[in-house]
């Protein structure tokens, strides 16, 4: 097997690295942007969430990271968030003592995103433009 070695010299690499280091700081700005966008969806999800006791609605929360915004529902103490959202066709189950009929899906998180997607995309576009201006791009 023959190995071929190639060297590539990039003109302007020092300037590129300097620009990339500036951008790395701006990724921190994305956390805040993603948090804000997730909160837009979360506010709508809270309004759309089904209510029996109100515990499910209280678990809806938003988070933002450098790479994404997330809206979640449920905790260990409220394990029924998934079945409420996605449905649960296996109920009832006499062997497990589950009464009642199957749980019909109520995709309130997806509905919240569907209803807010135009505002979220516009806010994201504006947020990215602001970060670009701040970075001098």
């Amino acid at each position: 097997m023959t190995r071929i070695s190639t060297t590539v010299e990039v003109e302007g690499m020092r300037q590129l690295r300097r620009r990339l280091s500036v951008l790395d700081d701006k990724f921190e700005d994305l956390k805040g942007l993603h948090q804000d966008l997730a909160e837009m969806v979360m506010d709508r999800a809270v309004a759309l969430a089904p209510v029996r006791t109100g515990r499910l609605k209280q678990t809806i929360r938003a988070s933002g990271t450098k790479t994404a915004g997330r809206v979640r529902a449920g905790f260990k103490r409220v394990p029924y968030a998934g079945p409420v959202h996605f449905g649960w066709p296996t109920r009832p189950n006499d062997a497990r003592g589950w009464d009642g009929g199957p749980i019909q899906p109520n995709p309130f998180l997806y509905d919240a995103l569907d209803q807010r997607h135009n505002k979220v995309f516009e806010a994201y576009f504006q947020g990215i433009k602001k970060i670009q201006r701040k970075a001098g791009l």
Side-chain angles (χ1 to χ4, degrees):
M1 179 189 278
T2 305
R3 289 188 158 210
I4 299 173
S5 178
T6 304
T7 302
V8 176
E9 188 173 318
V10 177
E11 205 170 298
M13 183 56 105
R14 179 180 291 162
Q15 292 86 353
L16 176 62
R17 278 197 300 262
R18 194 174 312 126
R19 284 312 254 302
L20 289 175
S21 70
V22 168
L23 284 178
D24 191 44
D25 293 339
K26 301 310 169 213
F27 282 119
E28 290 299 319
D29 294 345
L30 284 174
K31 279 184 179 181
L33 176 60
H34 290 152
Q35 176 74 31
D36 293 344
L37 299 173
E39 287 175 2
M40 290 172 65
V41 175
M42 180 194 72
D43 291 342
R44 187 66 189 138
V46 168
L48 295 175
V51 178
R52 280 197 183 171
T53 65
R55 289 179 65 195
L56 175 61
K57 185 181 277 200
Q58 293 171 354
T59 68
I60 299 172
R61 62 211 180 274
S63 64
T65 66
K66 289 180 183 181
T67 58
R70 292 185 174 87
V71 179
R72 299 177 185 176
F75 287 115
K76 190 173 184 177
R77 326 183 290 282
V78 184
Y80 47 83
V84 168
H85 190 268
F86 296 108
W88 192 1
T90 61
R91 283 186 73 204
N93 185 332
D94 292 333
R96 293 191 176 184
W98 296 338
D99 294 328
I103 299 172
Q104 296 302 313
N106 184 345
F108 60 95
L109 295 171
Y110 292 164
D111 292 344
L113 179 58
D114 286 345
Q115 293 175 18
R116 292 282 167 97
H117 76 275
N118 287 335
K119 288 182 180 181
V120 169
F121 285 134
E122 181 60 31
Y124 191 73
F125 180 72
Q126 295 301 322
I128 292 296
K129 284 174 61 175
K130 183 178 177 183
I131 291 170
Q132 286 176 325
R133 281 192 303 274
K134 193 173 174 183
L137 299 174

